[in-house]
Amino acid sequence: MQNSPLMSLRRKRTSEDGEIIFYRKGHSIEKLAVIVSRNLRKRFGRIQALRGVTFSVSKGSATALLGPNGAGKTTTLKILLGLLKPDSGEVEVFGMDPWRKGDKIRGIVGVLHEKPVYPQWASVRQLIRYAARLRGLGEMDEERAIKLSGLERYAGARISSLSRGYLQRLGIALAILGDPELLLLDEPTANLDPAARMEILNLISVLKEELDVTVLISSHIIPELEMVCDSAIFINEGLVLDQGSLDELARKHNSRAVVVIRTRNPRKLASDLIGRDYVKSVEVSSESVKVEVMPGELPTLESEISRLGGKYGIERVESAAGRLQDLYWKVIGVAR
Amino acid sequence: MLGDLRKFAFRAKLHMEFILARHISLYAVVAFLAALLNAYIVIPSILDQIVTASMSGPPFGPVRPPTPFMGISLTLAHLIFSLVSVSIAASMAGELASTSLFHLSQPLRRSEYSVSWLLAIVWLPSLLMALSLFVPISAFDPRLVLRVSFQPIYLRLVEDILTFSMFCWAALTRRRGVVAFIGIFFILLLPYLSLVILGLISYVFLGGRNPPSLLLTVYEIIFPSTTSTLFLGSVGQLSLDPMRASVGTLIISVFAQLSYVLYFIRKFEVK
């Protein structure tokens, strides 16, 4: 990926053009945190949307924001962008208060809302150009966003003529415009066909891994989140129930993880793995091996697989019953 | 500080261009038609005045009082650009209810966003109204501009700036219907309905005497142009000279606009 267009166009932020100072309080969890929220509360009339939300998101992580409908995910994202004012509590994004310094935060944060509404009369290019100019970006950035989101053929089309899937792509194009340091994505793959979903998920992975973009994704499609996320925040009825890296959470909640390894030598691989003490069970079929590992031991299996890849002709590794799915039911299910 | 101000102006201009882009050609046509209409009414009237004056003195002599046609022209321009202002305010209400989530998710401050709408709702129609009156006359002959009395135009503009400022507040309800209702109420009903109420107060409670001067002063301050038009020839009955009343109108306009921007900055949330 040396020649990735993302890499070549990446802006280096220096102290002269506003180096981002990350939040530091000496507290381990808050060190290098991009987002810090403490005891955040928000009420809409009679509904208490947030009842003391506390969490942090560390730099370079991809965090899943998980919870049922009405849990407070969208309200939290809107507060992080400075679109809503919290009733009480503290929130800092890149060390800034979103309500007071919202424009600065939105200049370095890309966002995709759950149900975005765009001016119907405008064309795709008009809208992207407007957003780019507000960020002080040029035509090259516009073109890159259009290209990466797969909107080249529809750049001149009116927004009113776009299907829901292409509207979602437009949202992605607007979110990745410029070089966001942080992506806030609310249901990013909603309304997309399977191929487009994979494209978007790959794009998120590229942004995260190659450009060190911090990602906070709210979604109901847990297997997809598992593909890109390395940590999670579980929220329900306006309260954060738990948060941390997937490994930490898996250990803490005794969560099961099952992976399917596609290989040319399933029997040999199975007999090799069955003797490991971190492997709970192994199931062999004609082309694959299904392995369940002890809670929190998935990284050990992953490193083992990469070591054994050549030896057993491993073609692909898929998550079967993901940790995240299991964790979701353990954390949210218990709370409910 | 200067850089911040420049950034503020750039973003507010960008947003204003974007929100007006959809209807800018319509507004241009409306302004052009209003200018033609004004030219058709005012220019012959001024020329007629010059011819009449030349019978008794040199042409392009001292400035004459406004012709009655100026009043018709002003009223037409007021109605046309009030409708323009209401339609822009209705667009704002629609945007606040829908696409404001997109706009305010961009690096755009709430102050920049609200000021750009303020400029579009209040100052653009007022500017177009003034231009539609002066441009055709000065295009015909710049010297004719001096024949026009500025006071009625100034009073009309001041009154409309206050009325249009109210439309900004109406837009904050996020309902187009409310904006349309308030627009019609402020343009067509309130100036005359208030007079009827003042008359009733005078007739029912004061036995036909003039209404309390405080009420009359408030009316004059809110509607300096309507007052000077309706009380033309009997300005002596007024408790304030319309030009002095207009100072109060300007102060209230500034307060209405500042409070709208401050409310937006401190309280407006995108739900």
Short mmCIF file of all heavy atoms in Angstrom, two decimals, chain A residues 111-114 116 118 124 127-128 142-155 159 162-177 185-201 203:
data_model
loop_
_atom_site.label_atom_id
_atom_site.label_comp_id
_atom_site.label_asym_id
_atom_site.label_seq_id
_atom_site.Cartn_x
_atom_site.Cartn_y
_atom_site.Cartn_z
N VAL A 111 -17.58 13.34 9.74
CA VAL A 111 -18.76 12.75 10.37
C VAL A 111 -19.74 12.22 9.32
O VAL A 111 -19.91 12.80 8.27
CB VAL A 111 -19.45 13.77 11.31
CG1 VAL A 111 -19.92 14.99 10.56
CG2 VAL A 111 -20.60 13.14 12.06
N LEU A 112 -20.33 11.10 9.66
CA LEU A 112 -21.43 10.57 8.85
C LEU A 112 -22.58 10.33 9.81
O LEU A 112 -22.47 9.53 10.74
CB LEU A 112 -21.02 9.26 8.17
CG LEU A 112 -22.15 8.52 7.45
CD1 LEU A 112 -22.62 9.32 6.24
CD2 LEU A 112 -21.72 7.15 7.01
N HIS A 113 -23.68 11.04 9.60
CA HIS A 113 -24.83 10.90 10.50
C HIS A 113 -25.70 9.71 10.09
O HIS A 113 -25.65 9.25 8.96
CB HIS A 113 -25.66 12.19 10.49
CG HIS A 113 -24.94 13.34 11.10
ND1 HIS A 113 -24.75 13.45 12.46
CD2 HIS A 113 -24.35 14.43 10.55
CE1 HIS A 113 -24.07 14.57 12.71
NE2 HIS A 113 -23.81 15.17 11.56
N GLU A 114 -26.50 9.30 11.04
CA GLU A 114 -27.35 8.13 10.81
C GLU A 114 -28.37 8.40 9.70
O GLU A 114 -28.53 7.60 8.79
CB GLU A 114 -28.08 7.76 12.11
CG GLU A 114 -28.87 6.48 12.00
CD GLU A 114 -29.66 6.19 13.26
OE1 GLU A 114 -29.64 7.01 14.20
OE2 GLU A 114 -30.30 5.12 13.31
N PRO A 116 -28.74 11.34 7.40
CA PRO A 116 -28.38 12.68 6.94
C PRO A 116 -29.39 13.21 5.91
O PRO A 116 -29.93 12.43 5.13
CB PRO A 116 -27.01 12.48 6.30
CG PRO A 116 -26.98 11.05 5.89
CD PRO A 116 -27.89 10.31 6.80
N TYR A 118 -29.54 16.09 2.94
CA TYR A 118 -28.73 17.04 2.19
C TYR A 118 -29.64 17.93 1.35
O TYR A 118 -30.75 17.51 1.00
CB TYR A 118 -27.77 16.29 1.27
CG TYR A 118 -26.86 15.35 2.01
CD1 TYR A 118 -26.98 13.96 1.84
CD2 TYR A 118 -25.91 15.82 2.91
CE1 TYR A 118 -26.17 13.09 2.54
CE2 TYR A 118 -25.10 14.96 3.60
CZ TYR A 118 -25.23 13.60 3.42
OH TYR A 118 -24.44 12.75 4.12
N VAL A 124 -23.96 16.64 -6.45
CA VAL A 124 -22.97 16.01 -5.57
C VAL A 124 -21.71 16.87 -5.50
O VAL A 124 -21.19 17.17 -4.42
CB VAL A 124 -22.64 14.59 -6.08
CG1 VAL A 124 -21.42 14.02 -5.39
CG2 VAL A 124 -23.85 13.68 -5.90
N LEU A 127 -22.10 20.17 -3.54
CA LEU A 127 -22.12 19.97 -2.08
C LEU A 127 -20.71 19.69 -1.54
O LEU A 127 -20.30 20.25 -0.52
CB LEU A 127 -23.06 18.81 -1.74
CG LEU A 127 -23.57 18.80 -0.32
CD1 LEU A 127 -24.52 19.96 -0.09
CD2 LEU A 127 -24.28 17.49 0.00
N ILE A 128 -20.00 18.82 -2.26
CA ILE A 128 -18.65 18.46 -1.80
C ILE A 128 -17.74 19.68 -1.91
O ILE A 128 -16.91 19.94 -1.03
CB ILE A 128 -18.10 17.25 -2.59
CG1 ILE A 128 -18.92 16.00 -2.19
CG2 ILE A 128 -16.62 17.02 -2.32
CD1 ILE A 128 -18.58 14.75 -2.93
N GLU A 142 -11.36 17.40 -3.27
CA GLU A 142 -12.72 17.07 -3.70
C GLU A 142 -12.70 15.80 -4.54
O GLU A 142 -13.47 14.86 -4.30
CB GLU A 142 -13.29 18.16 -4.61
CG GLU A 142 -13.67 19.45 -3.96
CD GLU A 142 -13.95 20.51 -5.03
OE1 GLU A 142 -14.53 20.17 -6.10
OE2 GLU A 142 -13.57 21.63 -4.79
N GLU A 143 -11.79 15.80 -5.52
CA GLU A 143 -11.70 14.66 -6.44
C GLU A 143 -11.36 13.38 -5.70
O GLU A 143 -11.89 12.31 -6.00
CB GLU A 143 -10.65 14.93 -7.52
CG GLU A 143 -11.04 16.00 -8.51
CD GLU A 143 -12.40 15.76 -9.16
OE1 GLU A 143 -12.76 14.60 -9.43
OE2 GLU A 143 -13.13 16.75 -9.37
N ARG A 144 -10.44 13.50 -4.74
CA ARG A 144 -10.03 12.31 -3.99
C ARG A 144 -11.21 11.74 -3.20
O ARG A 144 -11.45 10.53 -3.21
CB ARG A 144 -8.90 12.67 -3.02
CG ARG A 144 -8.32 11.43 -2.34
CD ARG A 144 -7.34 11.81 -1.27
NE ARG A 144 -8.02 12.43 -0.14
CZ ARG A 144 -7.56 12.43 1.09
NH1 ARG A 144 -6.40 11.88 1.35
NH2 ARG A 144 -8.20 13.01 2.06
N ALA A 145 -11.99 12.63 -2.56
CA ALA A 145 -13.15 12.16 -1.77
C ALA A 145 -14.18 11.50 -2.69
O ALA A 145 -14.74 10.46 -2.36
CB ALA A 145 -13.77 13.33 -1.02
N ILE A 146 -14.38 12.11 -3.87
CA ILE A 146 -15.35 11.56 -4.83
C ILE A 146 -14.89 10.18 -5.29
O ILE A 146 -15.66 9.22 -5.35
CB ILE A 146 -15.54 12.54 -6.02
CG1 ILE A 146 -16.33 13.77 -5.56
CG2 ILE A 146 -16.23 11.86 -7.20
CD1 ILE A 146 -16.42 14.89 -6.56
N LYS A 147 -13.58 10.08 -5.56
CA LYS A 147 -13.02 8.82 -6.07
C LYS A 147 -13.07 7.73 -4.99
O LYS A 147 -13.51 6.61 -5.26
CB LYS A 147 -11.57 9.08 -6.50
CG LYS A 147 -11.01 8.02 -7.40
CD LYS A 147 -9.63 8.41 -7.86
CE LYS A 147 -8.95 7.21 -8.50
NZ LYS A 147 -7.55 7.45 -8.77
N LEU A 148 -12.63 8.07 -3.81
CA LEU A 148 -12.57 7.05 -2.75
C LEU A 148 -13.94 6.53 -2.34
O LEU A 148 -14.09 5.39 -1.94
CB LEU A 148 -11.86 7.61 -1.51
CG LEU A 148 -10.36 7.76 -1.62
CD1 LEU A 148 -9.81 8.48 -0.41
CD2 LEU A 148 -9.68 6.40 -1.76
N SER A 149 -14.96 7.39 -2.49
CA SER A 149 -16.29 6.94 -2.10
C SER A 149 -17.07 6.35 -3.27
O SER A 149 -18.23 5.98 -3.12
CB SER A 149 -17.07 8.11 -1.49
OG SER A 149 -17.09 9.18 -2.39
N GLY A 150 -16.43 6.28 -4.43
CA GLY A 150 -17.05 5.65 -5.60
C GLY A 150 -18.18 6.47 -6.19
O GLY A 150 -19.18 5.91 -6.65
N LEU A 151 -18.02 7.78 -6.20
CA LEU A 151 -19.09 8.65 -6.71
C LEU A 151 -18.76 9.30 -8.05
O LEU A 151 -19.47 10.22 -8.47
CB LEU A 151 -19.38 9.75 -5.68
CG LEU A 151 -20.30 9.40 -4.51
CD1 LEU A 151 -20.24 10.50 -3.46
CD2 LEU A 151 -21.74 9.21 -4.96
N GLU A 152 -17.68 8.83 -8.70
CA GLU A 152 -17.24 9.51 -9.94
C GLU A 152 -18.37 9.67 -10.96
O GLU A 152 -18.55 10.72 -11.54
CB GLU A 152 -16.11 8.74 -10.62
CG GLU A 152 -14.82 8.70 -9.85
CD GLU A 152 -14.53 7.33 -9.31
OE1 GLU A 152 -15.43 6.73 -8.67
OE2 GLU A 152 -13.42 6.83 -9.54
N ARG A 153 -19.15 8.59 -11.15
CA ARG A 153 -20.19 8.62 -12.19
C ARG A 153 -21.34 9.55 -11.82
O ARG A 153 -22.13 9.93 -12.67
CB ARG A 153 -20.73 7.20 -12.41
CG ARG A 153 -19.79 6.35 -13.26
CD ARG A 153 -20.48 5.14 -13.78
NE ARG A 153 -21.37 4.54 -12.81
CZ ARG A 153 -22.39 3.75 -13.11
NH1 ARG A 153 -22.65 3.50 -14.37
NH2 ARG A 153 -23.16 3.21 -12.20
N TYR A 154 -21.47 9.86 -10.54
CA TYR A 154 -22.62 10.64 -10.09
C TYR A 154 -22.22 12.04 -9.62
O TYR A 154 -23.03 12.73 -9.00
CB TYR A 154 -23.34 9.91 -8.96
CG TYR A 154 -23.94 8.60 -9.42
CD1 TYR A 154 -23.22 7.42 -9.36
CD2 TYR A 154 -25.22 8.57 -9.96
CE1 TYR A 154 -23.74 6.23 -9.81
CE2 TYR A 154 -25.76 7.38 -10.41
CZ TYR A 154 -25.02 6.21 -10.33
OH TYR A 154 -25.55 5.04 -10.78
N ALA A 155 -20.99 12.45 -9.92
CA ALA A 155 -20.51 13.74 -9.42
C ALA A 155 -21.40 14.90 -9.88
O ALA A 155 -21.61 15.86 -9.14
CB ALA A 155 -19.07 13.96 -9.84
N ILE A 159 -28.64 15.67 -6.00
CA ILE A 159 -28.76 14.81 -4.82
C ILE A 159 -30.14 14.16 -4.77
O ILE A 159 -30.27 13.00 -4.36
CB ILE A 159 -28.45 15.63 -3.55
CG1 ILE A 159 -26.95 15.91 -3.54
CG2 ILE A 159 -28.85 14.91 -2.29
CD1 ILE A 159 -26.51 16.99 -2.65
N LEU A 162 -30.27 10.66 -6.30
CA LEU A 162 -29.42 9.57 -5.79
C LEU A 162 -30.23 8.54 -5.01
O LEU A 162 -31.18 8.88 -4.32
CB LEU A 162 -28.33 10.12 -4.86
CG LEU A 162 -27.27 11.05 -5.45
CD1 LEU A 162 -26.26 11.41 -4.36
CD2 LEU A 162 -26.55 10.42 -6.62
N SER A 163 -29.82 7.27 -5.17
CA SER A 163 -30.45 6.22 -4.39
C SER A 163 -29.94 6.31 -2.94
O SER A 163 -28.97 7.04 -2.66
CB SER A 163 -30.09 4.86 -4.97
OG SER A 163 -28.71 4.64 -4.79
N ARG A 164 -30.55 5.56 -2.04
CA ARG A 164 -30.13 5.63 -0.63
C ARG A 164 -28.68 5.19 -0.45
O ARG A 164 -27.95 5.75 0.36
CB ARG A 164 -31.06 4.77 0.23
CG ARG A 164 -32.43 5.39 0.33
CD ARG A 164 -33.36 4.52 1.14
NE ARG A 164 -33.07 4.60 2.55
CZ ARG A 164 -33.69 3.89 3.48
NH1 ARG A 164 -34.62 3.05 3.14
NH2 ARG A 164 -33.37 4.01 4.75
N GLY A 165 -28.29 4.21 -1.24
CA GLY A 165 -26.92 3.71 -1.17
C GLY A 165 -25.92 4.78 -1.58
O GLY A 165 -24.87 4.97 -0.94
N TYR A 166 -26.26 5.51 -2.65
CA TYR A 166 -25.34 6.56 -3.11
C TYR A 166 -25.36 7.78 -2.18
O TYR A 166 -24.37 8.50 -2.07
CB TYR A 166 -25.63 6.93 -4.57
CG TYR A 166 -24.90 5.98 -5.49
CD1 TYR A 166 -25.52 4.82 -5.95
CD2 TYR A 166 -23.58 6.19 -5.82
CE1 TYR A 166 -24.84 3.91 -6.74
CE2 TYR A 166 -22.89 5.30 -6.62
CZ TYR A 166 -23.51 4.16 -7.07
OH TYR A 166 -22.82 3.26 -7.84
N LEU A 167 -26.51 7.98 -1.52
CA LEU A 167 -26.54 9.06 -0.52
C LEU A 167 -25.58 8.73 0.63
O LEU A 167 -24.91 9.60 1.17
CB LEU A 167 -27.96 9.22 0.04
CG LEU A 167 -28.92 10.03 -0.80
CD1 LEU A 167 -30.31 10.02 -0.18
CD2 LEU A 167 -28.47 11.47 -0.95
N GLN A 168 -25.53 7.43 0.95
CA GLN A 168 -24.62 6.98 2.01
C GLN A 168 -23.17 7.21 1.56
O GLN A 168 -22.33 7.64 2.35
CB GLN A 168 -24.88 5.50 2.30
CG GLN A 168 -24.31 5.01 3.59
CD GLN A 168 -25.08 5.52 4.81
OE1 GLN A 168 -26.03 6.28 4.68
NE2 GLN A 168 -24.64 5.13 5.99
N ARG A 169 -22.90 6.92 0.29
CA ARG A 169 -21.55 7.16 -0.24
C ARG A 169 -21.20 8.66 -0.20
O ARG A 169 -20.06 9.04 0.07
CB ARG A 169 -21.45 6.67 -1.69
CG ARG A 169 -21.35 5.16 -1.80
CD ARG A 169 -21.50 4.75 -3.26
NE ARG A 169 -21.51 3.32 -3.39
CZ ARG A 169 -20.43 2.59 -3.71
NH1 ARG A 169 -19.28 3.19 -3.89
NH2 ARG A 169 -20.51 1.29 -3.82
N LEU A 170 -22.22 9.48 -0.48
CA LEU A 170 -21.99 10.93 -0.41
C LEU A 170 -21.60 11.32 1.02
O LEU A 170 -20.67 12.12 1.22
CB LEU A 170 -23.25 11.67 -0.86
CG LEU A 170 -23.26 13.18 -0.70
CD1 LEU A 170 -22.14 13.82 -1.50
CD2 LEU A 170 -24.59 13.78 -1.13
N GLY A 171 -22.30 10.72 1.97
CA GLY A 171 -21.98 10.98 3.38
C GLY A 171 -20.55 10.57 3.70
O GLY A 171 -19.83 11.28 4.42
N ILE A 172 -20.13 9.45 3.15
CA ILE A 172 -18.76 8.97 3.37
C ILE A 172 -17.77 9.96 2.73
O ILE A 172 -16.76 10.31 3.33
CB ILE A 172 -18.57 7.56 2.76
CG1 ILE A 172 -19.53 6.55 3.39
CG2 ILE A 172 -17.11 7.10 2.83
CD1 ILE A 172 -19.11 5.88 4.65
N ALA A 173 -18.10 10.40 1.51
CA ALA A 173 -17.21 11.35 0.81
C ALA A 173 -17.03 12.62 1.64
O ALA A 173 -15.91 13.13 1.78
CB ALA A 173 -17.80 11.69 -0.56
N LEU A 174 -18.14 13.11 2.21
CA LEU A 174 -18.06 14.33 3.03
C LEU A 174 -17.26 14.07 4.30
O LEU A 174 -16.52 14.94 4.76
CB LEU A 174 -19.47 14.82 3.38
CG LEU A 174 -20.28 15.39 2.21
CD1 LEU A 174 -21.75 15.50 2.57
CD2 LEU A 174 -19.76 16.76 1.80
N ALA A 175 -17.41 12.85 4.84
CA ALA A 175 -16.71 12.54 6.10
C ALA A 175 -15.20 12.44 5.90
O ALA A 175 -14.44 12.82 6.78
CB ALA A 175 -17.26 11.24 6.68
N ILE A 176 -14.77 11.92 4.76
CA ILE A 176 -13.33 11.71 4.57
C ILE A 176 -12.65 12.88 3.85
O ILE A 176 -11.46 12.81 3.53
CB ILE A 176 -13.04 10.39 3.80
CG1 ILE A 176 -13.68 10.42 2.42
CG2 ILE A 176 -13.50 9.19 4.60
CD1 ILE A 176 -13.28 9.25 1.55
N LEU A 177 -13.42 13.92 3.60
CA LEU A 177 -12.89 15.10 2.93
C LEU A 177 -11.70 15.68 3.71
O LEU A 177 -11.79 15.85 4.92
CB LEU A 177 -14.00 16.14 2.84
CG LEU A 177 -14.00 17.18 1.74
CD1 LEU A 177 -13.80 16.58 0.38
CD2 LEU A 177 -15.30 17.95 1.77
N LEU A 185 -18.72 7.88 12.84
CA LEU A 185 -19.59 7.26 11.84
C LEU A 185 -20.81 6.63 12.52
O LEU A 185 -20.66 5.74 13.36
CB LEU A 185 -18.82 6.20 11.06
CG LEU A 185 -17.49 6.65 10.43
CD1 LEU A 185 -16.72 5.47 9.88
CD2 LEU A 185 -17.74 7.67 9.34
N ASP A 186 -21.98 7.12 12.14
CA ASP A 186 -23.21 6.58 12.70
C ASP A 186 -23.85 5.71 11.63
O ASP A 186 -24.33 6.23 10.61
CB ASP A 186 -24.12 7.76 13.09
CG ASP A 186 -25.13 7.38 14.15
OD1 ASP A 186 -25.23 6.17 14.47
OD2 ASP A 186 -25.83 8.27 14.66
N GLU A 187 -23.86 4.42 11.81
CA GLU A 187 -24.38 3.45 10.84
C GLU A 187 -23.79 3.67 9.45
O GLU A 187 -24.51 3.94 8.49
CB GLU A 187 -25.92 3.56 10.77
CG GLU A 187 -26.64 3.32 12.07
CD GLU A 187 -26.61 1.86 12.51
OE1 GLU A 187 -26.19 1.01 11.72
OE2 GLU A 187 -26.98 1.59 13.66
N PRO A 188 -22.47 3.53 9.29
CA PRO A 188 -21.86 3.86 8.00
C PRO A 188 -22.23 2.94 6.84
O PRO A 188 -22.15 3.35 5.69
CB PRO A 188 -20.35 3.76 8.28
CG PRO A 188 -20.24 2.86 9.46
CD PRO A 188 -21.47 3.10 10.27
N THR A 189 -22.64 1.70 7.14
CA THR A 189 -22.94 0.79 6.02
C THR A 189 -24.43 0.59 5.81
O THR A 189 -24.83 -0.27 5.03
CB THR A 189 -22.27 -0.58 6.26
OG1 THR A 189 -22.71 -1.08 7.53
CG2 THR A 189 -20.77 -0.49 6.23
N ALA A 190 -25.25 1.40 6.50
CA ALA A 190 -26.69 1.27 6.31
C ALA A 190 -27.04 1.59 4.86
O ALA A 190 -26.43 2.47 4.25
CB ALA A 190 -27.41 2.24 7.25
N ASN A 191 -27.98 0.89 4.31
CA ASN A 191 -28.49 1.10 2.94
C ASN A 191 -27.51 0.71 1.84
O ASN A 191 -27.74 1.04 0.68
CB ASN A 191 -28.89 2.57 2.70
CG ASN A 191 -29.84 3.09 3.74
OD1 ASN A 191 -30.80 2.39 4.09
ND2 ASN A 191 -29.57 4.26 4.27
N LEU A 192 -26.41 0.08 2.17
CA LEU A 192 -25.46 -0.29 1.12
C LEU A 192 -25.58 -1.77 0.78
O LEU A 192 -25.90 -2.59 1.66
CB LEU A 192 -24.03 0.00 1.59
CG LEU A 192 -23.66 1.46 1.85
CD1 LEU A 192 -22.24 1.56 2.39
CD2 LEU A 192 -23.79 2.29 0.59
N ASP A 193 -25.31 -2.09 -0.50
CA ASP A 193 -25.33 -3.51 -0.88
C ASP A 193 -24.05 -4.17 -0.35
O ASP A 193 -23.10 -3.47 0.06
CB ASP A 193 -25.45 -3.64 -2.41
CG ASP A 193 -24.35 -2.93 -3.14
OD1 ASP A 193 -23.18 -3.26 -2.87
OD2 ASP A 193 -24.64 -2.03 -3.95
N PRO A 194 -24.00 -5.52 -0.33
CA PRO A 194 -22.84 -6.19 0.29
C PRO A 194 -21.49 -5.75 -0.27
O PRO A 194 -20.53 -5.56 0.50
CB PRO A 194 -23.10 -7.67 -0.01
CG PRO A 194 -24.58 -7.77 -0.13
CD PRO A 194 -25.03 -6.49 -0.74
N ALA A 195 -21.41 -5.56 -1.59
CA ALA A 195 -20.13 -5.15 -2.18
C ALA A 195 -19.73 -3.76 -1.68
O ALA A 195 -18.56 -3.53 -1.31
CB ALA A 195 -20.23 -5.15 -3.70
N ALA A 196 -20.70 -2.86 -1.66
CA ALA A 196 -20.41 -1.50 -1.21
C ALA A 196 -20.04 -1.49 0.27
O ALA A 196 -19.18 -0.72 0.70
CB ALA A 196 -21.62 -0.61 -1.45
N ARG A 197 -20.69 -2.38 1.04
CA ARG A 197 -20.35 -2.47 2.48
C ARG A 197 -18.89 -2.83 2.66
O ARG A 197 -18.20 -2.23 3.47
CB ARG A 197 -21.19 -3.56 3.14
CG ARG A 197 -22.57 -3.12 3.42
CD ARG A 197 -23.38 -4.24 4.02
NE ARG A 197 -24.67 -3.68 4.40
CZ ARG A 197 -25.44 -4.14 5.35
NH1 ARG A 197 -25.06 -5.16 6.06
NH2 ARG A 197 -26.58 -3.57 5.61
N MET A 198 -18.46 -3.83 1.88
CA MET A 198 -17.06 -4.26 1.99
C MET A 198 -16.11 -3.14 1.61
O MET A 198 -15.09 -2.93 2.25
CB MET A 198 -16.80 -5.50 1.12
CG MET A 198 -17.40 -6.79 1.66
SD MET A 198 -17.06 -7.06 3.41
CE MET A 198 -15.30 -7.26 3.38
N GLU A 199 -16.49 -2.42 0.54
CA GLU A 199 -15.64 -1.29 0.10
C GLU A 199 -15.49 -0.26 1.22
O GLU A 199 -14.38 0.20 1.51
CB GLU A 199 -16.32 -0.58 -1.08
CG GLU A 199 -15.91 -1.08 -2.44
CD GLU A 199 -16.64 -0.30 -3.51
OE1 GLU A 199 -16.56 0.93 -3.50
OE2 GLU A 199 -17.31 -0.95 -4.35
N ILE A 200 -16.62 0.08 1.82
CA ILE A 200 -16.60 1.10 2.88
C ILE A 200 -15.80 0.60 4.09
O ILE A 200 -14.99 1.34 4.66
CB ILE A 200 -18.05 1.49 3.29
CG1 ILE A 200 -18.80 2.10 2.11
CG2 ILE A 200 -18.05 2.45 4.49
CD1 ILE A 200 -18.20 3.33 1.48
N LEU A 201 -16.01 -0.67 4.44
CA LEU A 201 -15.27 -1.22 5.60
C LEU A 201 -13.77 -1.26 5.31
O LEU A 201 -12.96 -0.96 6.19
CB LEU A 201 -15.79 -2.63 5.93
CG LEU A 201 -17.21 -2.65 6.53
CD1 LEU A 201 -17.74 -4.07 6.59
CD2 LEU A 201 -17.22 -2.01 7.91
N LEU A 203 -12.24 0.76 3.31
CA LEU A 203 -11.79 2.16 3.34
C LEU A 203 -11.53 2.60 4.79
O LEU A 203 -10.51 3.23 5.09
CB LEU A 203 -12.85 3.05 2.69
CG LEU A 203 -12.58 4.54 2.66
CD1 LEU A 203 -11.31 4.84 1.89
CD2 LEU A 203 -13.74 5.29 2.05
#
